[in-house]
Amino acid sequence: MPGMTPPRFFALVPAAGVGERSGAGQPKQYVEIAGRPMLAHTLAALVAVPRLSQTLVVLSPSDDRFEAALPDCGAWVARVGGASRAESVLGGLAELRRRGAGDDDWVLVHDAARCLLQPAWVDALIDACQHDAVGGLLAQPVADTLKAGGADGRVSATVDRRDKWAAQTPQMFRLGLVERALLALGAAATDEASAVEALGLAPRLVRASMANFKVTWPEDFELAQRWLYQVGPSSR
Ligand code: CTP
Ligand code: MG
């Protein structure tokens, strides 16, 4: 319709977690990787995507480190994080609304802990989803044989991996839809797609790369650092 503004694209980065599994003794987003806090690499990749109108980073209300650790990061900042990832994302969606975003604008939610993100993957996700009725996510087909494990540390079953994908981020949905989905599913949602699926919708799977892994365990910092030195700052 003439006169209608086309939907915009926003990135939302939940960064209000404590990083317990990383064993870092501090929120993992502030651990230095290749000379910069992990979160700085993540935000730099998003800020380098011209189609994104803005990137909003969601911090814990008690975060007193961001401005000193990441001066001039180019992103909007809001201390509206909650007790779960889903609550942090909901806080961020409300903040985007306060800053002028509407139901039909696209939101790309991306984990702060996926610091190896490349702008080209974000572009591929936007290309694949911008005309989709539901939206979608970056993901990787599972290559390894999958085992279910019991509490005794032994294999209880081998799981057919042929239709299995490992979900990554960004996950891209319209603001109105993803907000409704997360409100319905509550804190149980570990990603946006599962909340959207619970509404009976099928998000699109967009293949990315193993390199888009989430820094989770102590040994992951070293691995991420090696990738970052390999790829180099020029890709940012
Ligand atoms: N996150 C958040 N608010 C929370 C929990 C998580 O914003 N209450 C964010 C994290 O900062 C991270 C992303 O969600 O960028 C993915 O979560 P995860 O990798 O699980 O990070 P943590 O929850 O910090 O780590 P852990 O589960 O090991 O404590
Ligand atoms: Mg967590």
Side-chain angles (χ1 to χ4, degrees), residues 14-21 28-29 82-85 88 111-113 214:
V18 293
E20 197 180 333
R21 287 171 292 175
K28 63 183 173 183
Q29 53 271 28
S84 69
R85 182 180 181 287
S88 296
D111 293 326
K214 188 173 73 168

Side-chain angles (χ1 to χ4, degrees), residues 75-112:
W76 285 340
V77 181
R79 286 175 165 77
V80 293
S84 69
R85 182 180 181 287
E87 288 167 282
S88 296
V89 171
L90 277 169
L93 294 174
E95 180 71 20
L96 284 177
R97 282 195 189 279
R98 282 193 283 275
R99 294 177 184 246
D103 278 348
D104 291 336
D105 286 322
W106 291 99
V107 181
L108 284 77
V109 179
H110 181 67
D111 293 326

